[in-house]
mmCIF file of all heavy atoms in Angstrom:
data_model
loop_
_atom_site.group_PDB
_atom_site.id
_atom_site.type_symbol
_atom_site.label_atom_id
_atom_site.label_comp_id
_atom_site.label_asym_id
_atom_site.label_seq_id
_atom_site.Cartn_x
_atom_site.Cartn_y
_atom_site.Cartn_z
ATOM 1 N N ILE A 42 -6.898 0.068 -5.130
ATOM 2 C CA ILE A 42 -5.631 -0.573 -5.490
ATOM 3 C C ILE A 42 -4.717 0.378 -6.253
ATOM 4 O O ILE A 42 -3.491 0.305 -6.129
ATOM 5 C CB ILE A 42 -5.868 -1.886 -6.268
ATOM 6 C CG1 ILE A 42 -4.623 -2.776 -6.151
ATOM 7 C CG2 ILE A 42 -6.201 -1.627 -7.732
ATOM 8 C CD1 ILE A 42 -4.821 -4.192 -6.636
ATOM 9 N N VAL A 43 -5.286 1.301 -7.018
ATOM 10 C CA VAL A 43 -4.459 2.311 -7.692
ATOM 11 C C VAL A 43 -3.813 3.234 -6.652
ATOM 12 O O VAL A 43 -2.639 3.611 -6.784
ATOM 13 C CB VAL A 43 -5.291 3.115 -8.711
ATOM 14 C CG1 VAL A 43 -4.520 4.337 -9.201
ATOM 15 C CG2 VAL A 43 -5.669 2.231 -9.897
ATOM 16 N N ALA A 44 -4.570 3.592 -5.613
ATOM 17 C CA ALA A 44 -4.000 4.399 -4.529
ATOM 18 C C ALA A 44 -2.887 3.624 -3.826
ATOM 19 O O ALA A 44 -1.835 4.190 -3.490
ATOM 20 C CB ALA A 44 -5.096 4.780 -3.532
ATOM 21 N N LEU A 45 -3.107 2.327 -3.617
ATOM 22 C CA LEU A 45 -2.078 1.483 -3.000
ATOM 23 C C LEU A 45 -0.831 1.453 -3.879
ATOM 24 O O LEU A 45 0.300 1.570 -3.376
ATOM 25 C CB LEU A 45 -2.632 0.067 -2.793
ATOM 26 C CG LEU A 45 -1.640 -1.000 -2.310
ATOM 27 C CD1 LEU A 45 -1.006 -0.594 -0.985
ATOM 28 C CD2 LEU A 45 -2.342 -2.354 -2.194
ATOM 29 N N LEU A 46 -1.010 1.304 -5.178
ATOM 30 C CA LEU A 46 0.127 1.299 -6.099
ATOM 31 C C LEU A 46 0.899 2.617 -6.022
ATOM 32 O O LEU A 46 2.137 2.624 -6.026
ATOM 33 C CB LEU A 46 -0.379 1.066 -7.525
ATOM 34 C CG LEU A 46 0.673 0.999 -8.627
ATOM 35 C CD1 LEU A 46 1.649 -0.139 -8.383
ATOM 36 C CD2 LEU A 46 0.004 0.850 -9.995
ATOM 37 N N ALA A 47 0.189 3.735 -5.932
ATOM 38 C CA ALA A 47 0.846 5.045 -5.841
ATOM 39 C C ALA A 47 1.667 5.162 -4.559
ATOM 40 O O ALA A 47 2.796 5.671 -4.568
ATOM 41 C CB ALA A 47 -0.197 6.156 -5.912
ATOM 42 N N VAL A 48 1.105 4.690 -3.454
ATOM 43 C CA VAL A 48 1.823 4.731 -2.168
ATOM 44 C C VAL A 48 3.087 3.870 -2.239
ATOM 45 O O VAL A 48 4.170 4.277 -1.792
ATOM 46 C CB VAL A 48 0.904 4.253 -1.026
ATOM 47 C CG1 VAL A 48 1.706 4.005 0.249
ATOM 48 C CG2 VAL A 48 -0.187 5.291 -0.762
ATOM 49 N N LEU A 49 2.970 2.683 -2.812
ATOM 50 C CA LEU A 49 4.122 1.788 -2.899
ATOM 51 C C LEU A 49 5.174 2.339 -3.861
ATOM 52 O O LEU A 49 6.376 2.169 -3.632
ATOM 53 C CB LEU A 49 3.670 0.402 -3.342
ATOM 54 C CG LEU A 49 2.803 -0.351 -2.325
ATOM 55 C CD1 LEU A 49 2.312 -1.667 -2.916
ATOM 56 C CD2 LEU A 49 3.564 -0.603 -1.041
ATOM 57 N N ALA A 50 4.726 3.006 -4.919
ATOM 58 C CA ALA A 50 5.675 3.623 -5.844
ATOM 59 C C ALA A 50 6.479 4.728 -5.158
ATOM 60 O O ALA A 50 7.694 4.839 -5.354
ATOM 61 C CB ALA A 50 4.938 4.180 -7.061
ATOM 62 N N GLU A 51 5.820 5.534 -4.343
ATOM 63 C CA GLU A 51 6.528 6.580 -3.602
ATOM 64 C C GLU A 51 7.472 5.970 -2.569
ATOM 65 O O GLU A 51 8.593 6.467 -2.371
ATOM 66 C CB GLU A 51 5.522 7.512 -2.920
ATOM 67 C CG GLU A 51 6.139 8.525 -1.968
ATOM 68 C CD GLU A 51 7.153 9.468 -2.615
ATOM 69 O OE1 GLU A 51 7.193 9.573 -3.865
ATOM 70 O OE2 GLU A 51 7.909 10.116 -1.860
ATOM 71 N N THR A 52 7.053 4.896 -1.940
ATOM 72 C CA THR A 52 7.934 4.196 -0.996
ATOM 73 C C THR A 52 9.178 3.700 -1.713
ATOM 74 O O THR A 52 10.304 3.850 -1.225
ATOM 75 C CB THR A 52 7.199 3.007 -0.355
ATOM 76 O OG1 THR A 52 5.980 3.457 0.219
ATOM 77 C CG2 THR A 52 8.053 2.366 0.730
ATOM 78 N N PHE A 53 8.987 3.100 -2.878
ATOM 79 C CA PHE A 53 10.104 2.605 -3.676
ATOM 80 C C PHE A 53 11.052 3.742 -4.048
ATOM 81 O O PHE A 53 12.279 3.597 -3.969
ATOM 82 C CB PHE A 53 9.553 1.925 -4.935
ATOM 83 C CG PHE A 53 10.590 1.263 -5.793
ATOM 84 C CD1 PHE A 53 11.181 0.072 -5.408
ATOM 85 C CD2 PHE A 53 10.966 1.822 -7.011
ATOM 86 C CE1 PHE A 53 12.132 -0.551 -6.207
ATOM 87 C CE2 PHE A 53 11.910 1.204 -7.823
ATOM 88 C CZ PHE A 53 12.489 0.013 -7.415
ATOM 89 N N ARG A 54 10.499 4.876 -4.436
ATOM 90 C CA ARG A 54 11.336 6.030 -4.796
ATOM 91 C C ARG A 54 12.223 6.441 -3.639
ATOM 92 O O ARG A 54 13.422 6.688 -3.807
ATOM 93 C CB ARG A 54 10.463 7.209 -5.223
ATOM 94 C CG ARG A 54 11.249 8.422 -5.717
ATOM 95 C CD ARG A 54 10.394 9.653 -5.815
ATOM 96 N NE ARG A 54 9.993 10.143 -4.507
ATOM 97 C CZ ARG A 54 10.791 10.852 -3.694
ATOM 98 N NH1 ARG A 54 12.025 11.143 -4.054
ATOM 99 N NH2 ARG A 54 10.342 11.269 -2.529
ATOM 100 N N ARG A 55 11.633 6.498 -2.446
ATOM 101 C CA ARG A 55 12.417 6.903 -1.274
ATOM 102 C C ARG A 55 13.497 5.884 -0.942
ATOM 103 O O ARG A 55 14.614 6.246 -0.538
ATOM 104 C CB ARG A 55 11.491 7.110 -0.070
ATOM 105 C CG ARG A 55 10.536 8.274 -0.249
ATOM 106 C CD ARG A 55 9.754 8.563 1.023
ATOM 107 N NE ARG A 55 8.716 9.568 0.768
ATOM 108 C CZ ARG A 55 7.963 10.110 1.705
ATOM 109 N NH1 ARG A 55 8.112 9.747 2.980
ATOM 110 N NH2 ARG A 55 7.040 11.008 1.389
ATOM 111 N N LEU A 56 13.179 4.608 -1.122
ATOM 112 C CA LEU A 56 14.162 3.570 -0.821
ATOM 113 C C LEU A 56 15.300 3.566 -1.831
ATOM 114 O O LEU A 56 16.456 3.301 -1.479
ATOM 115 C CB LEU A 56 13.481 2.200 -0.793
ATOM 116 C CG LEU A 56 12.534 1.974 0.394
ATOM 117 C CD1 LEU A 56 11.784 0.653 0.231
ATOM 118 C CD2 LEU A 56 13.296 1.975 1.721
ATOM 119 N N VAL A 57 14.998 3.866 -3.085
ATOM 120 C CA VAL A 57 16.036 3.894 -4.110
ATOM 121 C C VAL A 57 16.971 5.084 -3.913
ATOM 122 O O VAL A 57 18.179 4.988 -4.142
ATOM 123 C CB VAL A 57 15.406 3.926 -5.518
ATOM 124 C CG1 VAL A 57 16.448 4.249 -6.588
ATOM 125 C CG2 VAL A 57 14.743 2.588 -5.831
ATOM 126 N N THR A 58 16.426 6.220 -3.474
ATOM 127 C CA THR A 58 17.238 7.433 -3.351
ATOM 128 C C THR A 58 18.001 7.514 -2.033
ATOM 129 O O THR A 58 18.757 8.464 -1.825
ATOM 130 C CB THR A 58 16.364 8.697 -3.503
ATOM 131 O OG1 THR A 58 15.288 8.648 -2.562
ATOM 132 C CG2 THR A 58 15.804 8.795 -4.907
ATOM 133 N N THR A 59 17.819 6.542 -1.146
ATOM 134 C CA THR A 59 18.594 6.500 0.102
ATOM 135 C C THR A 59 19.021 5.064 0.354
ATOM 136 O O THR A 59 18.189 4.167 0.417
ATOM 137 C CB THR A 59 17.771 6.988 1.310
ATOM 138 O OG1 THR A 59 16.567 6.212 1.408
ATOM 139 C CG2 THR A 59 17.417 8.452 1.185
ATOM 140 N N ARG A 60 20.309 4.846 0.485
ATOM 141 C CA ARG A 60 20.807 3.481 0.664
ATOM 142 C C ARG A 60 20.427 2.929 2.026
ATOM 143 O O ARG A 60 20.384 3.655 3.025
ATOM 144 C CB ARG A 60 22.325 3.456 0.544
ATOM 145 C CG ARG A 60 22.807 3.413 -0.880
ATOM 146 C CD ARG A 60 24.307 3.263 -0.924
ATOM 147 N NE ARG A 60 24.799 3.647 -2.234
ATOM 148 C CZ ARG A 60 26.037 4.042 -2.457
ATOM 149 N NH1 ARG A 60 26.890 4.112 -1.474
ATOM 150 N NH2 ARG A 60 26.400 4.364 -3.683
ATOM 151 N N PRO A 61 20.185 1.624 2.102
ATOM 152 C CA PRO A 61 19.972 0.995 3.412
ATOM 153 C C PRO A 61 21.247 1.077 4.238
ATOM 154 O O PRO A 61 22.358 1.064 3.699
ATOM 155 C CB PRO A 61 19.628 -0.457 3.054
ATOM 156 C CG PRO A 61 20.206 -0.668 1.691
ATOM 157 C CD PRO A 61 20.106 0.644 0.995
ATOM 158 N N ARG A 62 21.072 1.157 5.545
ATOM 159 C CA ARG A 62 22.227 1.303 6.436
ATOM 160 C C ARG A 62 22.835 -0.029 6.836
ATOM 161 O O ARG A 62 23.930 -0.068 7.400
ATOM 162 C CB ARG A 62 21.790 2.061 7.697
ATOM 163 C CG ARG A 62 21.426 3.519 7.451
ATOM 164 C CD ARG A 62 20.474 4.038 8.512
ATOM 165 N NE ARG A 62 19.167 3.389 8.394
ATOM 166 C CZ ARG A 62 18.216 3.474 9.321
ATOM 167 N NH1 ARG A 62 18.443 4.163 10.426
ATOM 168 N NH2 ARG A 62 17.061 2.875 9.131
ATOM 169 N N SER A 63 22.150 -1.118 6.538
ATOM 170 C CA SER A 63 22.662 -2.440 6.888
ATOM 171 C C SER A 63 22.036 -3.462 5.953
ATOM 172 O O SER A 63 21.046 -3.185 5.268
ATOM 173 C CB SER A 63 22.311 -2.795 8.338
ATOM 174 O OG SER A 63 20.903 -2.975 8.470
ATOM 175 N N ARG A 64 22.611 -4.658 5.928
ATOM 176 C CA ARG A 64 22.052 -5.717 5.094
ATOM 177 C C ARG A 64 20.692 -6.163 5.608
ATOM 178 O O ARG A 64 19.828 -6.570 4.824
ATOM 179 C CB ARG A 64 23.030 -6.894 5.032
ATOM 180 C CG ARG A 64 24.350 -6.519 4.380
ATOM 181 C CD ARG A 64 25.224 -7.720 4.084
ATOM 182 N NE ARG A 64 26.530 -7.288 3.598
ATOM 183 C CZ ARG A 64 26.774 -6.893 2.356
ATOM 184 N NH1 ARG A 64 25.801 -6.864 1.476
ATOM 185 N NH2 ARG A 64 27.988 -6.522 1.995
ATOM 186 N N VAL A 65 20.504 -6.095 6.909
ATOM 187 C CA VAL A 65 19.197 -6.443 7.469
ATOM 188 C C VAL A 65 18.137 -5.471 6.953
ATOM 189 O O VAL A 65 17.052 -5.874 6.511
ATOM 190 C CB VAL A 65 19.227 -6.441 9.006
ATOM 191 C CG1 VAL A 65 17.814 -6.613 9.577
ATOM 192 C CG2 VAL A 65 20.140 -7.537 9.522
ATOM 193 N N GLU A 66 18.428 -4.189 6.980
ATOM 194 C CA GLU A 66 17.485 -3.198 6.464
ATOM 195 C C GLU A 66 17.246 -3.401 4.972
ATOM 196 O O GLU A 66 16.113 -3.251 4.487
ATOM 197 C CB GLU A 66 18.006 -1.780 6.704
ATOM 198 C CG GLU A 66 17.040 -0.704 6.216
ATOM 199 C CD GLU A 66 17.529 0.710 6.479
ATOM 200 O OE1 GLU A 66 18.613 0.877 7.091
ATOM 201 O OE2 GLU A 66 16.829 1.658 6.081
ATOM 202 N N ALA A 67 18.288 -3.767 4.237
ATOM 203 C CA ALA A 67 18.141 -3.994 2.802
ATOM 204 C C ALA A 67 17.115 -5.091 2.522
ATOM 205 O O ALA A 67 16.372 -5.031 1.540
ATOM 206 C CB ALA A 67 19.486 -4.371 2.191
ATOM 207 N N VAL A 68 17.057 -6.092 3.397
ATOM 208 C CA VAL A 68 16.111 -7.194 3.213
ATOM 209 C C VAL A 68 14.724 -6.828 3.730
ATOM 210 O O VAL A 68 13.727 -6.935 3.013
ATOM 211 C CB VAL A 68 16.621 -8.476 3.911
ATOM 212 C CG1 VAL A 68 15.556 -9.564 3.860
ATOM 213 C CG2 VAL A 68 17.902 -8.955 3.246
ATOM 214 N N VAL A 69 14.650 -6.359 4.998
ATOM 215 C CA VAL A 69 13.322 -6.188 5.618
ATOM 216 C C VAL A 69 12.611 -4.918 5.174
ATOM 217 O O VAL A 69 11.375 -4.846 5.236
ATOM 218 C CB VAL A 69 13.419 -6.217 7.160
ATOM 219 C CG1 VAL A 69 13.983 -7.535 7.647
ATOM 220 C CG2 VAL A 69 14.235 -5.052 7.707
ATOM 221 N N ALA A 70 13.335 -3.922 4.718
ATOM 222 C CA ALA A 70 12.689 -2.698 4.219
ATOM 223 C C ALA A 70 12.637 -2.715 2.693
ATOM 224 O O ALA A 70 11.567 -2.781 2.096
ATOM 225 C CB ALA A 70 13.427 -1.458 4.724
ATOM 226 N N ASP A 71 13.802 -2.698 2.046
ATOM 227 C CA ASP A 71 13.850 -2.652 0.583
ATOM 228 C C ASP A 71 13.244 -3.907 -0.043
ATOM 229 O O ASP A 71 12.452 -3.831 -0.996
ATOM 230 C CB ASP A 71 15.294 -2.482 0.117
ATOM 231 C CG ASP A 71 15.923 -1.200 0.621
ATOM 232 O OD1 ASP A 71 16.109 -1.087 1.846
ATOM 233 O OD2 ASP A 71 16.227 -0.317 -0.189
ATOM 234 N N GLY A 72 13.624 -5.068 0.469
ATOM 235 C CA GLY A 72 13.112 -6.315 -0.086
ATOM 236 C C GLY A 72 11.617 -6.459 0.090
ATOM 237 O O GLY A 72 10.896 -6.830 -0.843
ATOM 238 N N THR A 73 11.135 -6.150 1.284
ATOM 239 C CA THR A 73 9.702 -6.273 1.560
ATOM 240 C C THR A 73 8.875 -5.375 0.665
ATOM 241 O O THR A 73 7.913 -5.814 0.024
ATOM 242 C CB THR A 73 9.417 -5.926 3.034
ATOM 243 O OG1 THR A 73 10.048 -6.896 3.866
ATOM 244 C CG2 THR A 73 7.920 -5.900 3.322
ATOM 245 N N MET A 74 9.247 -4.113 0.587
ATOM 246 C CA MET A 74 8.447 -3.173 -0.189
ATOM 247 C C MET A 74 8.598 -3.411 -1.691
ATOM 248 O O MET A 74 7.685 -3.122 -2.471
ATOM 249 C CB MET A 74 8.815 -1.736 0.180
ATOM 250 C CG MET A 74 8.639 -1.416 1.670
ATOM 251 S SD MET A 74 7.062 -1.997 2.387
ATOM 252 C CE MET A 74 5.883 -0.947 1.545
ATOM 253 N N GLY A 75 9.735 -3.970 -2.104
ATOM 254 C CA GLY A 75 9.898 -4.329 -3.501
ATOM 255 C C GLY A 75 8.962 -5.463 -3.903
ATOM 256 O O GLY A 75 8.308 -5.403 -4.947
ATOM 257 N N LEU A 76 8.890 -6.499 -3.071
ATOM 258 C CA LEU A 76 7.954 -7.600 -3.332
ATOM 259 C C LEU A 76 6.520 -7.081 -3.412
ATOM 260 O O LEU A 76 5.755 -7.449 -4.313
ATOM 261 C CB LEU A 76 8.050 -8.643 -2.223
ATOM 262 C CG LEU A 76 9.197 -9.642 -2.267
ATOM 263 C CD1 LEU A 76 9.173 -10.504 -1.017
ATOM 264 C CD2 LEU A 76 9.131 -10.519 -3.515
ATOM 265 N N TYR A 77 6.179 -6.266 -2.464
ATOM 266 C CA TYR A 77 4.835 -5.693 -2.349
ATOM 267 C C TYR A 77 4.491 -4.896 -3.609
ATOM 268 O O TYR A 77 3.436 -5.081 -4.226
ATOM 269 C CB TYR A 77 4.847 -4.793 -1.118
ATOM 270 C CG TYR A 77 3.535 -4.456 -0.458
ATOM 271 C CD1 TYR A 77 3.544 -3.682 0.712
ATOM 272 C CD2 TYR A 77 2.305 -4.877 -0.951
ATOM 273 C CE1 TYR A 77 2.368 -3.346 1.362
ATOM 274 C CE2 TYR A 77 1.120 -4.537 -0.315
ATOM 275 C CZ TYR A 77 1.160 -3.767 0.844
ATOM 276 O OH TYR A 77 -0.008 -3.424 1.488
ATOM 277 N N LEU A 78 5.404 -4.019 -4.026
ATOM 278 C CA LEU A 78 5.170 -3.184 -5.203
ATOM 279 C C LEU A 78 5.033 -4.023 -6.466
ATOM 280 O O LEU A 78 4.113 -3.815 -7.271
ATOM 281 C CB LEU A 78 6.315 -2.181 -5.371
ATOM 282 C CG LEU A 78 6.327 -1.373 -6.675
ATOM 283 C CD1 LEU A 78 5.070 -0.517 -6.802
ATOM 284 C CD2 LEU A 78 7.586 -0.516 -6.761
ATOM 285 N N GLY A 79 5.942 -4.960 -6.673
ATOM 286 C CA GLY A 79 5.913 -5.764 -7.877
ATOM 287 C C GLY A 79 4.617 -6.538 -8.029
ATOM 288 O O GLY A 79 4.013 -6.570 -9.106
ATOM 289 N N TRP A 80 4.162 -7.145 -6.937
ATOM 290 C CA TRP A 80 2.912 -7.897 -7.006
ATOM 291 C C TRP A 80 1.721 -6.978 -7.268
ATOM 292 O O TRP A 80 0.845 -7.310 -8.060
ATOM 293 C CB TRP A 80 2.698 -8.691 -5.727
ATOM 294 C CG TRP A 80 1.352 -9.346 -5.713
ATOM 295 C CD1 TRP A 80 0.284 -9.028 -4.932
ATOM 296 C CD2 TRP A 80 0.897 -10.401 -6.569
ATOM 297 N NE1 TRP A 80 -0.802 -9.817 -5.231
ATOM 298 C CE2 TRP A 80 -0.452 -10.664 -6.233
ATOM 299 C CE3 TRP A 80 1.496 -11.138 -7.586
ATOM 300 C CZ2 TRP A 80 -1.202 -11.645 -6.893
ATOM 301 C CZ3 TRP A 80 0.754 -12.115 -8.228
ATOM 302 C CH2 TRP A 80 -0.580 -12.358 -7.884
ATOM 303 N N VAL A 81 1.691 -5.819 -6.635
ATOM 304 C CA VAL A 81 0.558 -4.909 -6.819
ATOM 305 C C VAL A 81 0.534 -4.363 -8.247
ATOM 306 O O VAL A 81 -0.542 -4.076 -8.783
ATOM 307 C CB VAL A 81 0.584 -3.785 -5.764
ATOM 308 C CG1 VAL A 81 -0.453 -2.703 -6.068
ATOM 309 C CG2 VAL A 81 0.311 -4.373 -4.381
ATOM 310 N N CYS A 82 1.690 -4.244 -8.910
ATOM 311 C CA CYS A 82 1.704 -3.849 -10.323
ATOM 312 C C CYS A 82 0.886 -4.834 -11.151
ATOM 313 O O CYS A 82 0.060 -4.440 -11.991
ATOM 314 C CB CYS A 82 3.138 -3.806 -10.852
ATOM 315 S SG CYS A 82 4.126 -2.409 -10.276
ATOM 316 N N VAL A 83 1.113 -6.125 -10.933
ATOM 317 C CA VAL A 83 0.388 -7.158 -11.670
ATOM 318 C C VAL A 83 -1.069 -7.198 -11.237
ATOM 319 O O VAL A 83 -1.996 -7.271 -12.060
ATOM 320 C CB VAL A 83 1.049 -8.529 -11.462
ATOM 321 C CG1 VAL A 83 0.250 -9.629 -12.156
ATOM 322 C CG2 VAL A 83 2.487 -8.522 -11.974
ATOM 323 N N ALA A 84 -1.302 -7.139 -9.919
ATOM 324 C CA ALA A 84 -2.665 -7.241 -9.382
ATOM 325 C C ALA A 84 -3.545 -6.084 -9.836
ATOM 326 O O ALA A 84 -4.747 -6.259 -10.038
ATOM 327 C CB ALA A 84 -2.615 -7.294 -7.858
#
């Protein structure tokens, strides 16, 4: 789970440093991985 957290943290970094190209991408890419990361922080 620590390895999973590290992978999700790097994913989050990449998403923050590059804007989504559409609102759909903002939800299905940024939103999805944000939910995933936040829950794994607690878990």
Side-chain angles (χ1 to χ4, degrees):
I42 202 169
V43 168
L45 173 58
L46 181 60
V48 168
L49 293 175
E51 172 59 16
T52 306
F53 185 74
R54 184 194 69 78
R55 294 187 188 187
L56 290 173
V57 168
T58 55
T59 56
R60 278 185 198 157
R62 292 156 292 168
S63 68
R64 297 190 186 281
V65 172
E66 182 179 358
V68 173
V69 300
D71 299 66
T73 295
M74 302 314 292
L76 280 175
Y77 201 177
L78 171 61
W80 174 250
V81 171
C82 287
V83 176

